[in-house]
Structure formats: structure tokens, C-alpha cells
Amino acid sequence: MTDDLFLLENQPDSAFKLTFTNQHVGIITIDVPNEKVNTLKAEFVEQIGTILQKAQQYSQLKGLVLISGKTDSFIAGADISMISSCQTAREASELATKGQTVMSHISAFPVPVVAAIHGACLGGGLELALACHSRICSLDDKTQLGLPEVQLGLLPGSGGTQRLPRLIGAPKALDMMLTGRSIRAKQAQRMGLVDDAVPQSILLQTAIERVLQGRKSRAPLPWQARLAGGPLGKAVLFSVVRKKTRAKTHGNYPATEKIIDVVKQGLDSGRTSGYQAEAEAFGELVMTPQSAALRGLFFASTALKKERGADADPLPLRRVGILGGGLMGGGIANVTATRAGLPVRIKDINQEGIRHALKYSWDLLEKRVRRGRLKKAEQQRQMMLISGTIDYSGFERVDLVVEAVFEDLQLKQKMVSEIEQNASEHTVFASNTSSLPIHDIAATASRPQNVIGLHYFSPVDKMPLVEVIPHAGTSEQTISTTVALAKKQGKTAIVVGDSAGFYVNRILAPYINEAARCLLEGEPIEHIDKALVDFGFPVGPLQLLDEVGIDVGTKIIPILVNALGPRFAAPRALDAVLQDDRKGRKNGKGFYLYEDKGRPAKKKQADPAIYRLLNLSPKQQQGGELIARRCVMLMLNEAVRCLDENVIRSARDGDIGAVFGIGFPPFLGGPFRYIDQLGAAEVLKTLQGLQQHYGEHFAPCSGLIRRAQEGSRFYS
């Protein structure tokens, strides 16, 4: 850009700065002071109004360009704490109305206003861009556009529910708002969300040229996008969308219903009515327990990203070693190379294991290439970060080794010894064990301070959580270094205690066991799983066992029984399932029927052979709510025990671990927020009732009894 810019007098503390080019185009630069990314705050209403007034006073003004002063983001959304501070629905609605007013001022500006978008353009950021007359975005991978408010139990409250359907059509707009998914530059251009997508180097220049072309009237949407235009098409669209949405949410996310209602209101009755409905619905949703829980998770995960796990600086991470090229080893190598950008050296006992691990990463990258999300050259570059060996060559230079071999204590101790011989003195040894105590793995180590647990969940490329497990002798620097690696890999890390099952598997085991008891009482497999899916879990407990492997899922049970007592004992009749070589999806033989290569049957159906194996005649006798209550209450009880025994450091960590690790319903916020919502006294009463009907394994823990008596909460 060769145009000279000259600065108008600006407020020093304002997030908005106005300059002019010698072609008489105003450039409004958005740069929130002392923040890494731009977020919209309530005080910006006045600042935006002031900057627009100043621009309008410039007599030769041809138009405005809105651009970010941040390196890699446009506007990441609204300040969530501003929303959470609202005490009433009316207060939240007024906040939305103010946002709508600001956007309408931009939309009504007498000369062209163009948004020049680079980086995250989300939530209120996209609503601001939608209020502009044109949008140009950069082709950078960091550029993403979306309205993710539904993920916080909200809807777009600054006009997004009205402007987006009119811009790209109701079907695509509803899909974006109901899923919260982000759109990349090329896709945004194809769907008409942006008018052009260009290299970042010419983004501002292109936006200025767009201003100088004057306002352009857009071609009408094709008939597919206009589907909501006619009464019949509109009725069909909203009926289908509502039905599909309810099938996915099971009525647990009120924001989705409100989004559909508000979009329909605007299309039926006009923008004015739509904006009013949007503001009212926004206020109502802010006050729902679902939104409070989802916002709590947002704040918790944001806080965790800023924590190091220990009071020590992490070691520099330049190279990582992986022991074992199996499913877990290959997955860990993949996220280390493709997300952390670190060179990875895989050791396996044979070349076949190395080839398997390399193919795992190649296949994942190839999928991204096919979808246009990755260039071939970048695929090759990322693959070059991964190498393999059948000896320890190259391990002398690695800073951290992740061990992902079989769950055998002697083998893992042997791995520790070999790494101590073949790597440097500072190298961290992180074991991806799911059940073995870390102090046992470190028992024969000459440098036990470097040994730690790093428990990933399968599949590694999809599951967001890792458990970091120090033993008593692990150094603070080892902890912080391990947490640093997890963050680089894009994971959310919680530091948990070195005890049987750690945290996630410990609270999962009684939940799975109770589902098995329901099965042995004659409840149909599909009925049990549906009960927990209706409650809010992504899959039911028996399907989950099939997915992770029945052999793997039940392997931890004896360890928990040995360490923590008989309440963890699985029903003995389930031994028959294992003895029948039923491992689930991986061998096409589990609780459900599978086609060739472990694919689920076209219509998900329980394998009737299970009932014969267990000598059962399945019959639905218990309601779904009772089944869900039995399974979930055991999980809540065990979570409280884990907190009181310092297995987890805080209720916050326990909630993040349950939601991110096993899919505890996000709209409930996690086990501890759910207990707070119900009240400890109510949970105690429920457990005591179940104890009378179903046995001593429902006995409430002392920590729950105490909190019920005190009326205390986990969160203030």
C-alpha cells in the first residue's frame, strides 16, 4: 500500500483509531489496549459512535475500512465476562440492543464501509463485519469466520440472526449458528459471506479499492438459498431444521430452539420484529443454567491455558521421542508434529510399527488436503518432522520422551532405564499409562525426578484432554515441561494425583459398571445407551465400551478394586463377554452388531447373541431417567471423593476432566457444577434412596454428607 496515511486526533485510550488516505478513505483500526486479541466491550458503543461521527465530519470522505491492529485476529467475539456480569434478563437484553444499535449505525453509514478481515472473526466480530457493506478477508489459515455463541448457550445478539440469513440464505445461516462452526476464507467466499479473499499482503489495498468502487448491489441469491422465501419452502425448511436439531440436542440446549425461532420471526415479520425477538431471546438465554454452565467451562479452560502446572519454568522443547508405533504412539506423534510443530523420533521394535505410525499421520493429513484445508507442500513439510528408528539413534537429542508401549510394568521400567542410558540427563520420561501407578514406573529409575505420567485419550487427534500425573518425586520443572508440551499439542491439561485410575478413568468405571448391572437386570442395550444419550452424553456407556475396546475398558477394574475396594467390582457375569472374545468395534464383535472391518451396522442394533450369552430375556422395565440417575450419581459421588483425596486440584479441574475426557454433558458444566445446581443435600438424598434399592456401592461419601449438612457449594 503506497497511499500516505494521516492521523486524525484520536482518544489515547480508545480501541479505535481513525486515519485517512490521500484518496480520502478512512481507515478505522481496531486495537484493544493491553489485550492479545480484540474483544467487544460495552464501553465500545460510545467509542464506535464517536469515531463514526469524526469520520462523517471529513467532507471528502469516500468510505471507511475497518481493520484490526492485532497480528493474527480481527475480533474474537464479545467479552464473555461482560455478559456474565448481567444480573437480569432485561439487563442482558439491553446489552444486546446496544450492540444492535451500533451495528445499525455502521450499516446506515452514508458511504461504503468495508471490513478487512484477517484472523479470527467470530461472534460479535462477525456481526460487526455483517453490518459493513462489504467484507474482504485474507487467505491465511488463521482467518476463520463464525458465530459460535451457541457453544456458550447463547445466540448472536447484535443483529447476526437477522443479517446472516439475508446475506447467505437461511439454510446455510442456520447451519452456521446452530453448530457454531467456523468457515475458512475460500468457503466464506463461495457461500457469499465475504466478497473477496486475497493474500494478507494486499488485504488493506483491496479493501480500499472496494471502497473506491462505491456501493455494489449484490446479485440475488440462487433458489436453493432463497428456500425460506416462499411460505411452503419456509415451512419445510424450519420443520426439517427443528427436527434434526432436536434429534442432536435431545432438548438439552435451549439456545438452538431460540435461534430457530428468532430467525423465523425475522423472515416472517421483518427485521424490526426480528431484532426485538433477538434481544429478548438473548436476555433469556443469558439467565439459563445451561448458558451459565457453558460459560463456566469457557472461563475454566481459558484459565487452564494460562497455567504452567507447577512453579518452575519449563525446559525448552526442541525434539520429542515416542516409544511405540501403535495407535496411541502414532496419534501422539501426529499431534506433536502437526500441531506443536516439533520434530518427532519414533522408536519401535520393528519397521512395521514405524510404518504404521507414519501412515497414521499421512492419512490424517491427506484427509485435510482432500478437503482443501492443507496444501500438498505443507503436508510434505509436516511429514518430514516425523522419523523412525528400531534403535535409539537420535534419542540423545530429545528433550522429552512419551512412552506408549503395552500396559506392562516391567516393560515400562525397562523403557525408563533405556532412555536414561540413551538420552540426556535432562530428558523427561512421560508414560502414557492409563492404569499403572507412576511411582511404580519410576521405582527403578536413576533419575526419578524426570519421570511423569501423561495420559492421552483415544483417538489422540480428536480428544482434547490429557492428564498429567506426577509422582511424589517428580520435579516441578518436569511437571511444567510436560504441561508445556500438552499445550503445544493443542491439549487441555489437568494435573492429577498418582493414584489408581487417576481421575477420569476412576469416575468413569462406576458409571460403566452400573450400566452393566442394568443390562444384567434385563434392560435392553439400546435402552440403556439411549437413557444416557438423552441425559446429554455423546454416546451411551455400552457403546463407549465397544468404541474403546471392551478388553481395554475393563482392564482397569481389578486395579481399582485392589486399590480402592469392592465398590469398583464389575458384575461377574460380564466375564462371559470377555471370554467370548468380544472386544468391541476393533474386532467387530461387541455389544452391537458390526459389518466388515468394524463398521457399525447401517442401523445401530444390539447383538442378540449377548443376551443368549448372559442368559437374559431383554425387557424394558426401568425408565430412562432412573437408569441415567443410577449411572450418573455414582460418577458424582466418586468425583467428590477424588477432590477430597487430592486426586484433582480443584472442582474446576474435575469439571474440565469429565467434560473434555469422557463427554460429561457440557450444558451441566461438569460433575461439581451439576452437584451445585442440584444441591448437595438433594444428591445425598438421591444416593441414599438408590443405596436402599440397589446396594452399598451407592453409599454417599463423607465429603458429600459434610457438604450437604453445611449447605456448602463447590463454586461461590
Side-chain angles (χ1 to χ4, degrees):
M1 181 67 211
T2 57
D3 247 343
D4 292 326
L5 295 171
F6 61 93
L7 183 66
L8 193 73
E9 185 180 349
N10 288 293
Q11 295 294 328
D13 58 345
S14 175
F16 302 87
K17 300 289 186 291
L18 177 61
T19 56
F20 293 93
T21 74
N22 57 18
Q23 291 176 299
H24 312 298
V25 175
I27 311 295
I28 297 178
T29 302
I30 309 162
D31 195 351
V32 180
N34 307 314
E35 299 284 350
K36 187 177 179 181
V37 297
N38 291 321
T39 55
L40 297 177
K41 304 174 188 291
E43 59 265 30
F44 292 171
V45 171
E46 186 178 339
Q47 292 182 20
I48 294 173
T50 300
I51 213 84
L52 290 176
Q53 285 178 356
K54 286 184 177 179
Q56 205 162 353
Q57 291 167 6
Y58 185 76
S59 60
Q60 296 175 290
L61 185 68
K62 298 286 181 62
L64 296 173
V65 172
L66 272 62
I67 194 167
S68 172
K70 303 298 184 186
T71 307
D72 288 319
S73 82
F74 181 68
I75 299 173
D79 182 353
I80 307 303
S81 59
M82 168 185 71
I83 296 168
S84 294
S85 66
C86 294
Q87 299 297 309
T88 64
R90 175 176 286 186
E91 192 179 338
S93 292
E94 288 172 354
L95 191 65
T97 302
K98 287 179 182 177
Q100 291 174 352
T101 302
V102 170
M103 302 310 172
S104 67
H105 288 164
I106 295 171
S107 179
F109 205 70
V111 291
V113 182
V114 178
I117 301 163
H118 170 68
C121 177
L122 303 172
L126 181 55
E127 290 183 287
L128 184 143
L130 288 170
C132 297
H133 305 127
S134 297
R135 287 149 298 281
I136 313 293
C137 74
S138 77
L139 288 164
D140 196 283
D141 282 344
K142 292 171 183 169
T143 296
Q144 296 186 36
L145 300 92
L147 294 172
E149 287 86 351
V150 71
Q151 296 169 4
L152 295 174
L154 303 171
L155 52 63
S158 296
T161 64
Q162 305 305 302
R163 288 195 174 89
L164 189 62
R166 288 172 171 83
L167 182 69
I168 65 171
K172 290 178 181 175
L174 283 166
D175 178 66
M176 282 185 66
M177 287 186 276
L178 291 170
T179 63
R181 67 189 179 98
S182 296
I183 305 297
R184 296 180 182 272
K186 282 290 188 184
Q187 188 179 359
Q189 185 179 10
R190 285 195 299 270
M191 71 196 311
L193 183 54
V194 299
D195 300 281
D196 202 358
V198 299
Q200 187 194 356
S201 58
I202 61 168
L203 176 64
L204 179 56
Q205 177 183 341
T206 306
I208 290 172
E209 290 170 356
R210 183 81 181 187
V211 166
L212 295 173
Q213 290 169 9
R215 285 206 202 181
K216 288 186 175 183
S217 58
R218 296 187 60 149
L221 292 168
W223 71 266
Q224 295 96 329
R226 287 204 317 270
L227 181 61
L232 179 59
K234 185 161 51 178
V236 170
L237 169 69
F238 282 94
S239 174
V240 169
V241 168
R242 203 179 294 274
K243 186 176 180 181
K244 286 184 176 179
T245 301
R246 286 175 179 171
K248 289 181 181 177
T249 65
H250 303 278
N252 291 319
Y253 292 85
T256 57
E257 292 286 335
K258 291 288 188 185
I259 288 169
I260 296 168
D261 290 342
V262 168
V263 171
K264 188 173 185 298
Q265 176 73 19
L267 293 174
D268 282 345
S269 306
R271 290 176 189 249
T272 301
S273 178
Y275 288 137
Q276 184 179 347
E278 179 187 87
E280 288 177 1
F282 183 83
E284 291 170 11
L285 289 171
V286 169
M287 294 298 118
T288 60
Q290 292 90 343
S291 181
L294 291 165
R295 281 181 273 126
L297 285 173
F298 171 82
F299 290 128
S301 59
T302 300
L304 268 173
K305 289 174 185 175
K306 298 175 183 177
E307 295 179 7
R308 297 187 298 182
D311 293 328
D313 292 330
L315 289 165
L317 286 166
R318 292 159 298 217
R319 296 174 189 84
V320 172
I322 308 285
L323 300 179
L327 184 65
M328 293 301 291
I332 297 164
N334 172 261
V335 296
T336 305
T338 64
R339 297 181 191 171
L342 293 170
V344 184
R345 187 77 162 160
I346 304 168
K347 181 193 178 295
D348 201 274
I349 56 174
N350 54 48
Q351 290 291 344
E352 182 59 31
I354 295 166
R355 280 194 293 271
H356 181 274
L358 290 169
K359 185 177 185 302
Y360 185 93
S361 282
W362 177 264
D363 288 347
L364 287 174
L365 292 171
E366 188 67 20
K367 191 181 293 184
R368 293 188 65 200
V369 171
R370 286 198 304 271
R371 292 177 178 175
R373 295 183 178 178
L374 193 72
K375 293 178 180 176
K376 269 285 182 186
E378 181 61 16
Q379 179 188 30
Q380 296 285 355
R381 188 195 70 80
Q382 291 186 15
M383 283 303 302
M384 287 177 66
L385 290 171
I386 308 174
S387 62
T389 177
I390 56 172
D391 54 29
Y392 281 101
S393 59
F395 271 71
E396 68 279 358
R397 298 191 299 159
V398 301
D399 302 299
L400 186 148
V401 171
V402 182
E403 166 269 302
V405 300
F406 296 114
E407 287 285 87
D408 179 276
L409 178 60
Q410 290 184 335
L411 177 60
K412 290 179 185 288
Q413 289 177 335
K414 181 172 178 282
M415 295 293 99
V416 173
S417 176
E418 290 181 2
I419 287 300
E420 288 180 331
Q421 294 169 34
N422 290 281
S424 68
E425 288 192 5
H426 75 266
T427 300
V428 170
F429 183 96
S431 174
N432 177 48
T433 179
S434 60
S435 58
L436 297 173
I438 307 304
H439 62 268
D440 286 348
I441 295 172
T444 59
S446 58
R447 295 191 288 272
Q449 70 275 14
N450 292 356
V451 179
I452 195 168
L454 182 57
H455 180 209
Y456 294 85
F457 296 82
S458 184
V460 178
D461 60 289
K462 292 181 180 176
M463 296 299 287
L465 186 79
V466 291
E467 291 179 305
V468 175
I469 312 118
H471 65 93
T474 302
S475 73
E476 294 281 288
Q477 189 170 58
T478 294
I479 298 171
S480 63
T481 302
T482 307
V483 169
L485 173 66
K487 287 182 184 178
K488 285 178 179 288
Q489 293 170 331
K491 301 295 182 184
T492 297
I494 58 169
V495 179
V496 303
D498 180 23
S499 64
F502 313 131
Y503 172 66
V504 171
N505 282 341
R506 177 167 163 182
I507 66 170
L508 181 63
Y511 165 88
I512 296 280
N513 281 347
E514 197 60 21
R517 290 189 188 96
C518 291
L519 171 61
L520 293 171
E521 290 166 13
E523 295 298 330
I525 291 168
E526 296 100 330
H527 179 52
I528 295 166
D529 279 348
K530 184 178 184 301
L532 276 305
V533 170
D534 286 346
F535 183 81
F537 283 88
V539 296
L542 300 176
Q543 186 184 346
L544 179 64
L545 264 183
D546 266 13
E547 293 293 331
V548 301
I550 299 170
D551 54 331
V552 174
T554 55
K555 191 172 185 178
I556 196 172
I557 297 297
I559 297 169
L560 289 166
V561 172
N562 185 55
L564 301 168
R567 72 176 183 275
F568 282 96
R572 287 191 176 181
L574 275 189
D575 290 346
V577 176
L578 286 168
Q579 289 165 7
D580 195 42
D581 192 35
R582 289 183 177 269
K583 297 179 181 178
R585 184 171 180 170
K586 63 184 174 185
N587 76 339
K589 192 178 178 184
F591 290 101
Y592 286 88
L593 290 173
Y594 294 90
E595 296 175 350
D596 293 339
K597 299 181 180 178
R599 293 193 189 96
K602 289 180 182 177
K603 183 181 179 182
K604 192 175 75 172
Q605 183 183 349
D607 186 348
I610 285 278
Y611 301 124
R612 293 193 294 271
L613 191 67
L614 298 174
N615 196 26
L616 294 172
S617 297
K619 184 181 179 182
Q620 185 175 320
Q621 299 178 75
Q622 300 176 47
E625 289 185 5
L626 175 58
I627 291 173
R629 194 181 314 132
R630 289 174 61 177
C631 296
V632 172
M633 283 295 151
L634 285 174
M635 183 181 283
L636 302 185
N637 202 26
E638 204 58 43
V640 175
R641 281 196 182 96
C642 287
L643 179 63
D644 289 345
E645 294 171 15
N646 297 316
V647 174
I648 47 176
R649 293 179 171 184
S650 64
R652 179 204 69 181
D653 287 5
D655 283 342
I656 287 287
V659 173
F660 288 14
I662 53 179
F664 190 93
F667 66 89
L668 295 176
F672 297 99
R673 282 199 184 274
Y674 187 43
I675 293 172
D676 277 356
Q677 181 186 326
L678 296 173
E682 182 62 28
V683 176
L684 174 63
K685 180 182 175 183
T686 303
L687 279 166
Q688 288 171 334
L690 292 169
Q691 182 183 5
Q692 288 180 348
H693 281 89
Y694 299 104
E696 285 305 305
H697 60 289
F698 278 103
C701 66
S702 59
L704 188 63
I705 294 170
R706 185 183 76 252
R707 288 174 177 89
Q709 291 170 344
E710 296 170 352
S712 61
R713 297 168 57 86
F714 295 102
Y715 293 92
S716 58

